[in-house]
Amino acid sequence: MALFSHPSFDHHEQIMFVHDEASGLKAIIAVHDTTLGPAVGGCRMWPYESEQDAINDVLRLSRGMTYKNALAGLEFGGGKSVIIGDPKSDKSEALFRAFGRFVDSLGGRYYSAEDVGITTADIMIAHQETPYMAGLEGKSGDPSPYTALGTFLGIKAAVKHQRGIDSLEGIKVAVQGLGHVGFHLCRHLHDAGAKLVVCDLSETQLERARTEFGAEVVALDEIYRQDVDVYAPCALGATINDTTIPQLKATIVAGCANNQLAEPRHGEVLKEKGILYAPDYVINAGGIINVSFERDYNADKAEAKVRKIYDTLLTIFNEADNSGKTTAVVADEMARAIIEKARK
Ligand code: NAD
């Protein structure tokens, strides 16, 4: 099992494999880079098919957090953790307490928070064992509405750049996933006059989107070939791949999911097809920006900083046009430049 030579290893400072026999906890905590500050990134719980899948996920996600935090202008490094297990059946107080103790053992080099499969309640249990948890109840709280706001503004920036218009009136958006972020995003889009096509596994969420936003519902695998302006992936990673790209009629890909490109080369394939891609870790930084205000929480200041995602994306789109590089490459280069400057 490759680790130091893994494609996403990318100079990770520390990777910790942790196990607690009593609670059954098996987790990986990855600290990618602490140049800008303590590594901050959520914890994901997922029934990974193999340990290699868990390693792939945590390395890619923690590296992404370094870049996301840098470009969002936060004094945070990047890290992430994954718990190997089924969030529907494998959760217990003992498991999250054990996880909290392992995070605590890093002495503040890594702060965890909620991510897919994890709730704020789980984080509050872990917090009983360590101060190094973020996104706590009664503080900055659920990050999803801020992630949704940033994603909405990212879609606006992409439409502005590509079509030269400030309004989303009549713009058609295919939203894949109506979870914590996707549903809030639909509300913003609907309020702005956009037309929605949606899919999800949950009948309840689909029904809500139909009645509250007049959304058209399509089957899961039909979402890619919809005749829309924007495809907004808000469920899973790696949905931009060799199978889906040929189906896309949208000329903009802008959504909140992490790791949208199955492989880095898919950024180039999108560009060749004339599809404008809003790099995932830039457009979905609203939640972590909100969390960054946790110590002395101020919702107005948090929202003002989330709104800067619009300008950051316009800068990336313009630089990509000027340089001929993909938006993903431009975002990575900008993030690396921020970190290098801080290192010096
Ligand atoms: P969530 O678990 O609340 O929602 C995901 C939704 O996707 C669920 O409603 C689920 O039923 C649906 N779904 C699952 N498989 C699907 C499929 N094949 N097709 C269509 N829908 C499917 O998660 P979330 O918090 O809304 O996050 C969504 C994505 O955004 C994730 O990739 C997450 O990593 C990323 N993200 C979230 C935040 C945040 O603040 N929550 C921040 C940054 C990035």
Side-chain angles (χ1 to χ4, degrees), residues 178-243:
L178 301 172
H180 289 98
V181 183
F183 201 81
H184 282 292
L185 172 65
C186 285
R187 190 178 303 285
H188 284 296
L189 291 167
H190 174 68
D191 291 349
K195 300 267 171 284
L196 299 172
V197 182
V198 300
C199 72
D200 198 287
L201 303 171
S202 157
E203 267 307 320
T204 318
Q205 289 303 84
L206 291 172
E207 193 46 42
R208 283 184 67 200
R210 248 192 225 111
T211 49
E212 291 184 36
F213 313 130
E216 181 190 343
V217 171
V218 296
L220 297 182
D221 58 354
E222 282 175 12
I223 196 78
Y224 307 104
R225 54 174 172 267
Q226 293 305 308
D227 192 6
V228 293
D229 303 288
V230 182
Y231 161 55
C234 297
L236 318 163
T239 61
I240 302 295
N241 55 50
D242 294 330
T243 311

Side-chain angles (χ1 to χ4, degrees), residues 51-133:
E51 290 171 15
Q52 186 68 59
D53 284 354
I55 292 170
N56 296 346
D57 210 27
V58 77
L59 292 184
R60 211 174 154 190
L61 288 164
S62 72
R63 174 181 175 277
M65 287 308 300
T66 300
Y67 288 13
K68 176 190 299 204
N69 293 338
L71 267 187
L74 306 178
E75 290 177 347
F76 290 163
K80 199 87 182 184
S81 48
V82 295
I83 294 177
I84 301 173
D86 189 337
K88 292 197 194 86
S89 51
D90 297 337
K91 285 186 178 181
S92 67
E93 178 173 345
L95 183 125
F96 286 107
R97 278 186 174 269
F99 176 68
R101 287 194 295 275
F102 283 119
V103 170
D104 197 64
S105 74
L106 286 165
R109 277 173 56 72
Y110 168 66
Y111 281 70
S112 196
E114 67 162 295
D115 194 71
V116 176
I118 298 284
T119 64
T120 318
D122 302 330
I123 291 301
M124 292 308 285
I125 297 173
H127 181 49
Q128 292 177 39
E129 301 283 346
T130 179
Y132 308 123
M133 289 285 154

Side-chain angles (χ1 to χ4, degrees), residues 22-337:
S23 65
L25 174 76
K26 273 188 194 158
I28 311 171
I29 302 174
V31 175
H32 177 244
D33 192 292
T34 57
T35 307
L36 297 176
V40 180
C43 174
R44 177 172 286 197
M45 185 166 187
W46 196 253
Y48 292 100
E49 278 182 16
S50 70
E51 290 171 15
Q52 186 68 59
D53 284 354
I55 292 170
N56 296 346
D57 210 27
V58 77
L59 292 184
R60 211 174 154 190
L61 288 164
S62 72
R63 174 181 175 277
M65 287 308 300
T66 300
Y67 288 13
K68 176 190 299 204
N69 293 338
L71 267 187
L74 306 178
E75 290 177 347
F76 290 163
K80 199 87 182 184
S81 48
V82 295
I83 294 177
I84 301 173
D86 189 337
K88 292 197 194 86
S89 51
D90 297 337
K91 285 186 178 181
S92 67
E93 178 173 345
L95 183 125
F96 286 107
R97 278 186 174 269
F99 176 68
R101 287 194 295 275
F102 283 119
V103 170
D104 197 64
S105 74
L106 286 165
R109 277 173 56 72
Y110 168 66
Y111 281 70
S112 196
E114 67 162 295
D115 194 71
V116 176
I118 298 284
T119 64
T120 318
D122 302 330
I123 291 301
M124 292 308 285
I125 297 173
H127 181 49
Q128 292 177 39
E129 301 283 346
T130 179
Y132 308 123
M133 289 285 154
L136 304 173
E137 279 167 15
K139 293 210 172 176
S140 68
D142 180 5
S144 312
Y146 290 87
T147 306
L149 174 64
T151 306
F152 168 68
L153 295 167
I155 291 174
K156 283 193 79 167
V159 169
K160 169 80 176 166
H161 181 78
Q162 193 178 65
R163 319 253 168 117
I165 46 175
D166 288 315
S167 163
L168 292 186
E169 191 71 45
I171 294 286
K172 282 190 181 169
V173 187
V175 180
Q176 180 183 41
L178 301 172
H180 289 98
V181 183
F183 201 81
H184 282 292
L185 172 65
C186 285
R187 190 178 303 285
H188 284 296
L189 291 167
H190 174 68
D191 291 349
K195 300 267 171 284
L196 299 172
V197 182
V198 300
C199 72
D200 198 287
L201 303 171
S202 157
E203 267 307 320
T204 318
Q205 289 303 84
L206 291 172
E207 193 46 42
R208 283 184 67 200
R210 248 192 225 111
T211 49
E212 291 184 36
F213 313 130
E216 181 190 343
V217 171
V218 296
L220 297 182
D221 58 354
E222 282 175 12
I223 196 78
Y224 307 104
R225 54 174 172 267
Q226 293 305 308
D227 192 6
V228 293
D229 303 288
V230 182
Y231 161 55
C234 297
L236 318 163
T239 61
I240 302 295
N241 55 50
D242 294 330
T243 311
T244 59
I245 294 176
Q247 299 179 46
L248 289 178
K249 294 197 180 92
T251 57
I252 291 170
V253 172
C256 71
N258 279 312
N259 296 343
Q260 292 170 25
L261 304 178
E263 295 169 42
R265 69 181 171 85
H266 291 115
E268 193 63 51
V269 183
L270 286 180
K271 180 171 175 281
E272 280 162 16
K273 235 192 134 182
I275 298 175
L276 180 62
Y277 169 61
D280 44 16
Y281 64 76
V282 183
I283 192 171
N284 74 13
I288 190 76
I289 292 172
N290 185 51
V291 165
S292 76
F293 285 87
E294 181 142 297
R295 270 201 197 139
D296 197 6
Y297 190 64
N298 180 315
D300 292 340
K301 282 188 186 164
E303 184 175 325
K305 194 152 187 168
V306 172
R307 288 187 175 276
K308 291 190 175 155
I309 289 174
Y310 180 90
D311 297 323
T312 306
L313 279 169
L314 282 185
T315 306
I316 290 169
F317 296 151
N318 286 328
E319 176 57 25
D321 283 353
N322 295 339
S323 64
K325 293 174 185 168
T326 68
T327 53
V329 166
V330 168
D332 282 4
E333 287 181 356
M334 280 170 60
R336 272 193 222 106

